Amino acid sequence: MSIVTKIPWIALGLLLLSYSTLGWALSDIQAPLFVWLVVVLSLLLLVGTLTAPYSTLAKYSSILLGSNTKTFVATILGAFLFFMMLAWFRVFLDTLLIISSAILARIDFQSAGFKEGQAFMVTSVFSIAGVGLGGIIHTVVVQQLWW
């Protein structure tokens, strides 16, 4: 079977669309360049976290929750994030959409038999392309560069 037929195109299409909404929103608020760079780095971190082997995640989570103080700080941070989720529900839903589309792509790549590195590369390329595509489409449509 060819590698082109093994790639989960539907999941990657959904990933591209969900990240393009993020690019559209960034372009809409006219975010400076460093915000775009922070978003790209954080999406690479998200994709890397999702494509990492679970044993690696278990090792880092045991470091994070290794003592009572670290567990307390993680609990306070979780409560703060829950408050932010309720306060900015629209932003939370957009973030949840992006994370769930990345998880779907990860599951499809895993079931298709791709290695973690291959899944990371393809998902990263589609994620960055989605953010860029959303920004370009916003610029073309809203500022009417073509007509």
Tab-separated table of all heavy atoms in Angstrom, residues 4 16 23 27 33 41 61 69-70 74 77 82 95 100 104-105 124 126 135 139:
chain	number	residue	atom	x	y	z
A	4	VAL	N	0.786	7.415	0.428
A	4	VAL	CA	-0.222	8.449	0.189
A	4	VAL	C	-1.609	7.946	0.562
A	4	VAL	O	-2.430	8.699	1.083
A	4	VAL	CB	-0.164	8.913	-1.285
A	4	VAL	CG1	-1.277	9.887	-1.609
A	4	VAL	CG2	1.188	9.518	-1.596
A	16	LEU	N	-6.161	21.094	9.523
A	16	LEU	CA	-5.873	22.294	8.748
A	16	LEU	C	-6.964	23.346	8.949
A	16	LEU	O	-6.675	24.527	9.152
A	16	LEU	CB	-5.741	21.930	7.269
A	16	LEU	CG	-5.210	22.988	6.327
A	16	LEU	CD1	-3.729	23.208	6.573
A	16	LEU	CD2	-5.434	22.565	4.895
A	23	GLY	N	-5.337	31.020	12.821
A	23	GLY	CA	-4.637	31.991	11.989
A	23	GLY	C	-5.527	33.158	11.616
A	23	GLY	O	-5.088	34.319	11.590
A	27	SER	N	-4.823	37.026	12.686
A	27	SER	CA	-4.772	38.063	11.668
A	27	SER	C	-5.837	39.127	11.923
A	27	SER	O	-5.626	40.305	11.632
A	27	SER	CB	-4.971	37.438	10.288
A	27	SER	OG	-4.890	38.413	9.281
A	33	LEU	N	4.433	40.114	15.252
A	33	LEU	CA	5.184	38.940	14.799
A	33	LEU	C	5.561	38.009	15.941
A	33	LEU	O	5.493	36.786	15.793
A	33	LEU	CB	6.445	39.390	14.048
A	33	LEU	CG	7.319	38.283	13.477
A	33	LEU	CD1	6.541	37.472	12.456
A	33	LEU	CD2	8.578	38.843	12.872
A	41	LEU	N	5.416	28.143	18.124
A	41	LEU	CA	6.183	27.328	19.076
A	41	LEU	C	5.270	26.538	20.002
A	41	LEU	O	5.541	25.371	20.312
A	41	LEU	CB	7.129	28.220	19.882
A	41	LEU	CG	8.304	28.805	19.104
A	41	LEU	CD1	9.116	29.744	19.991
A	41	LEU	CD2	9.178	27.707	18.539
A	61	SER	N	5.289	13.389	34.010
A	61	SER	CA	4.213	13.639	34.965
A	61	SER	C	4.606	13.185	36.369
A	61	SER	O	4.181	13.795	37.358
A	61	SER	CB	2.925	12.950	34.523
A	61	SER	OG	3.073	11.552	34.556
A	69	THR	N	4.459	19.752	47.421
A	69	THR	CA	4.491	21.145	46.972
A	69	THR	C	4.193	21.239	45.478
A	69	THR	O	3.408	22.085	45.047
A	69	THR	CB	5.866	21.770	47.266
A	69	THR	OG1	6.169	21.603	48.650
A	69	THR	CG2	5.890	23.232	46.899
A	70	LYS	N	4.797	20.367	44.693
A	70	LYS	CA	4.544	20.373	43.253
A	70	LYS	C	3.091	20.001	42.953
A	70	LYS	O	2.477	20.572	42.054
A	70	LYS	CB	5.492	19.405	42.548
A	70	LYS	CG	6.939	19.849	42.556
A	70	LYS	CD	7.804	18.820	41.870
A	70	LYS	CE	9.275	19.180	41.949
A	70	LYS	NZ	10.122	18.143	41.349
A	74	ALA	N	0.401	22.400	41.096
A	74	ALA	CA	-0.335	21.897	39.934
A	74	ALA	C	-1.839	21.995	40.160
A	74	ALA	O	-2.599	22.323	39.239
A	74	ALA	CB	0.068	20.455	39.635
A	77	LEU	N	-2.790	25.684	39.830
A	77	LEU	CA	-2.764	26.023	38.412
A	77	LEU	C	-3.983	25.456	37.687
A	77	LEU	O	-4.593	26.123	36.859
A	77	LEU	CB	-1.480	25.512	37.763
A	77	LEU	CG	-1.326	25.794	36.269
A	77	LEU	CD1	-1.215	27.288	36.018
A	77	LEU	CD2	-0.114	25.077	35.716
A	82	PHE	N	-9.280	26.310	35.217
A	82	PHE	CA	-10.716	26.063	35.189
A	82	PHE	C	-11.486	27.375	35.264
A	82	PHE	O	-12.483	27.562	34.568
A	82	PHE	CB	-11.118	25.131	36.344
A	82	PHE	CG	-12.576	24.807	36.365
A	82	PHE	CD1	-13.123	23.965	35.407
A	82	PHE	CD2	-13.409	25.337	37.335
A	82	PHE	CE1	-14.474	23.668	35.409
A	82	PHE	CE2	-14.756	25.040	37.349
A	82	PHE	CZ	-15.290	24.206	36.384
A	95	THR	N	-9.864	26.505	21.654
A	95	THR	CA	-8.699	25.722	22.057
A	95	THR	C	-9.025	24.236	22.107
A	95	THR	O	-8.228	23.394	21.673
A	95	THR	CB	-8.197	26.203	23.430
A	95	THR	OG1	-7.973	27.606	23.381
A	95	THR	CG2	-6.926	25.496	23.831
A	100	SER	N	-8.559	18.775	20.107
A	100	SER	CA	-9.237	17.541	19.708
A	100	SER	C	-8.915	17.151	18.265
A	100	SER	O	-8.798	15.966	17.962
A	100	SER	CB	-10.744	17.665	19.908
A	100	SER	OG	-11.261	18.709	19.127
A	104	LEU	N	-7.179	13.662	17.216
A	104	LEU	CA	-7.728	12.814	16.159
A	104	LEU	C	-6.665	12.451	15.128
A	104	LEU	O	-6.554	11.290	14.716
A	104	LEU	CB	-8.909	13.504	15.477
A	104	LEU	CG	-9.510	12.771	14.280
A	104	LEU	CD1	-10.165	11.476	14.731
A	104	LEU	CD2	-10.487	13.660	13.562
A	105	ALA	N	-5.861	13.436	14.745
A	105	ALA	CA	-4.780	13.156	13.787
A	105	ALA	C	-3.782	12.176	14.387
A	105	ALA	O	-3.304	11.265	13.702
A	105	ALA	CB	-4.086	14.459	13.379
A	124	SER	N	2.858	18.601	12.280
A	124	SER	CA	3.439	19.932	12.445
A	124	SER	C	3.318	20.756	11.171
A	124	SER	O	2.968	21.940	11.223
A	124	SER	CB	4.908	19.832	12.842
A	124	SER	OG	5.044	19.203	14.070
A	126	PHE	N	1.138	20.426	8.727
A	126	PHE	CA	-0.257	20.789	8.485
A	126	PHE	C	-0.743	21.829	9.492
A	126	PHE	O	-1.553	22.696	9.143
A	126	PHE	CB	-1.152	19.548	8.512
A	126	PHE	CG	-1.258	18.876	7.179
A	126	PHE	CD1	-0.256	18.039	6.723
A	126	PHE	CD2	-2.353	19.075	6.371
A	126	PHE	CE1	-0.336	17.417	5.494
A	126	PHE	CE2	-2.459	18.472	5.132
A	126	PHE	CZ	-1.439	17.639	4.687
A	135	GLY	N	-4.343	33.080	8.239
A	135	GLY	CA	-3.919	34.472	8.171
A	135	GLY	C	-3.983	35.025	6.757
A	135	GLY	O	-4.415	36.162	6.535
A	139	THR	N	-6.494	37.990	5.356
A	139	THR	CA	-5.953	39.170	4.690
A	139	THR	C	-6.595	39.368	3.320
A	139	THR	O	-6.964	40.490	2.953
A	139	THR	CB	-4.429	39.045	4.536
A	139	THR	OG1	-3.860	38.846	5.834
A	139	THR	CG2	-3.831	40.273	3.911
